[in-house]
Amino acid sequence: MSGKIRFAPSPTGYLHEGHLLSALYVWAAAKKWNLKIHLRIEDHDQSRARPAYIAGIREDLAWLGFKYDSESIQSARGQVYEAALQKLKEKSLVYPCYCSRKQLLAENPQSETGEIVYQGKCFYKTREERRETREIINSAPHNLRFIVPDKFINWHDLRLGDFHENPKLQCGDFPIRDRDNQWTYQFAVCVDDIDEQITHIIRGEDIRNSTARQIALMEALGRTERPIYLHHPLIVDANNKKLSKRELAHSLRQDKEAGITPEMLFGRVCHKAHLTESDAPIALVDAISIIMETL
Ligand code: GLU
Ligand code: ZN
């Protein structure tokens, strides 16, 4: 088998242990299935991305010994996103939403996972209603929402098994561009996964909920063959709880500056992910082999 996998960090901070575990999974999958590795810097949110973090991703990967075959950065791909938006517009699958955050919270139910399930208020507005609120005449702040099909999507995760999910019930029509004209994660990731011909998507379990809606969006954009999915377990703390913001803020480069070696980090991260019995230092190839066994 051949294909392409991506490692897709967002440069909103320096790489931390969670990223390192993800990278180990991606490189292990690439080795197991003989895939090319693509580094995608997901700086779609220009208000949070920083040049130092972008440089940091490349430097930290080099220091750790992760090599890749190709690279892209979302901020250089505006025209590709614009073209994809046009495609959705031609299919009448996009509409502007003028709801404020406060309105969204007050007027829509929330899913089991605490997500707002947008009920389509701005979709159902008549032209008169829009005129009344002057939305058509003066371009009040708005995001653009993708109309998700109201249907259950069956998809398979190599580790977690089968899922049967309806994005209309998980989140409703979702934003592809926000009020500040930034492309959203959901949109940019789908356009890129198509355009960059990604065949395997290996990422943390925290993003699993996004998969059905991403499949719906990729299909609307014309992708017929689905990627293979695997959502890996996350690092937990000593009490089996998700790592706190503070713990995740602790970066790999702080460890590096404190004299910690990559091998010490691989040992520590594999142990924290319950992949090894001790946290003794291990080589990158060995960390990758250990994870390959679990795939
Ligand atoms: N940029 C996302 C993150 O840093 C990963 C997105 C993905 O793998 O789909 O969590
Ligand atoms: Zn709205």
Side-chain angles (χ1 to χ4, degrees), residues 95-100 103-104 107-108 118 120-123 125 143 145:
Y95 63 91
C97 165
Y98 296 86
C99 300
S100 65
Q103 281 175 315
L104 289 175
E107 295 168 0
N108 298 283
Y118 187 64
K121 174 176 171 176
C122 294
F123 174 77
K125 271 184 192 161
N143 63 30
R145 286 183 188 267

Side-chain angles (χ1 to χ4, degrees), residues 39-289:
L39 170 67
R40 179 193 303 145
I41 298 182
E42 298 209 328
D43 62 341
H44 56 91
D45 184 350
Q46 288 292 298
S47 67
R48 294 176 65 216
R50 298 276 177 277
Y53 299 145
I54 296 172
I57 290 171
R58 299 190 186 108
E59 288 161 13
D60 293 346
L61 289 178
W63 175 65
L64 293 162
F66 290 104
K67 297 194 172 66
Y68 42 88
D69 301 291
S70 53
E71 183 187 323
S72 63
I73 183 160
Q74 292 180 326
S75 54
R77 292 169 49 75
Q79 286 176 348
V80 182
Y81 304 128
E82 205 56 65
L85 170 63
Q86 282 316 316
K87 209 162 171 179
L88 294 179
K89 281 187 174 168
E90 279 158 24
K91 293 185 168 183
S92 302
L93 288 174
V94 182
Y95 63 91
C97 165
Y98 296 86
C99 300
S100 65
R101 175 89 196 143
K102 213 169 135 191
Q103 281 175 315
L104 289 175
L105 279 167
E107 295 168 0
N108 298 283
Q110 284 180 20
S111 72
E112 303 157 353
T113 60
E115 263 191 283
I116 291 172
V117 187
Y118 187 64
Q119 300 294 294
K121 174 176 171 176
C122 294
F123 174 77
Y124 292 111
K125 271 184 192 161
T126 60
R127 279 187 85 79
E128 286 63 40
E129 281 174 308
R130 285 170 194 275
R131 268 219 180 84
E132 261 166 39
T133 51
R134 302 181 65 78
E135 288 167 359
I136 283 183
I137 318 163
N138 72 14
S139 52
H142 61 275
N143 63 30
L144 295 178
R145 286 183 188 267
F146 165 61
I147 303 179
V148 296
D150 188 2
K151 67 170 190 198
F152 278 83
I153 292 175
N154 296 311
W155 64 276
H156 182 75
D157 181 289
L158 284 185
R159 187 176 74 92
L160 300 168
D162 290 326
F163 289 89
H164 182 64
E165 294 171 329
N166 183 347
K168 206 76 165 185
L169 306 176
Q170 290 180 301
C171 58
D173 300 342
F174 60 84
I176 58 177
R177 204 172 68 189
D178 71 19
R179 296 163 82 87
D180 302 318
N181 277 331
Q182 308 272 333
W183 305 105
T184 64
Y185 156 67
Q186 301 293 355
F187 182 67
V189 83
C190 287
V191 174
D192 288 351
D193 284 336
I194 297 175
D195 197 57
E196 293 165 353
Q197 300 178 321
I198 302 300
T199 55
H200 290 65
I201 296 182
I202 313 286
R203 58 189 178 193
E205 252 177 33
D206 52 338
I207 318 179
R208 189 192 62 65
N209 246 339
S210 291
T211 303
R213 74 196 66 166
Q214 290 179 7
I215 289 173
L217 180 50
M218 285 198 279
E219 284 176 359
L221 287 167
R223 177 163 180 157
T224 47
E225 217 171 299
R226 281 193 199 164
I228 288 167
Y229 290 97
L230 186 150
H231 293 84
H232 64 74
L234 304 177
I235 292 181
V236 289
D237 67 12
N239 302 315
N240 268 329
K241 289 245 170 61
K242 260 176 79 170
L243 292 190
S244 65
K245 279 234 164 68
R246 191 179 56 80
E247 286 165 304
L248 286 175
H250 182 87
S251 68
L252 302 177
R253 61 177 50 207
Q254 280 172 284
D255 291 323
K256 178 184 171 187
E257 280 153 20
I260 292 177
T261 64
E263 290 72 24
M264 288 159 83
L265 288 175
F266 303 140
R268 187 202 283 173
V269 163
C270 285
H271 183 59
K272 283 193 182 176
H274 301 295
L275 292 158
T276 46
E277 308 232 312
S278 91
D279 64 357
I282 45 176
L284 177 57
V285 282
D286 295 325
I288 287 176
S289 297

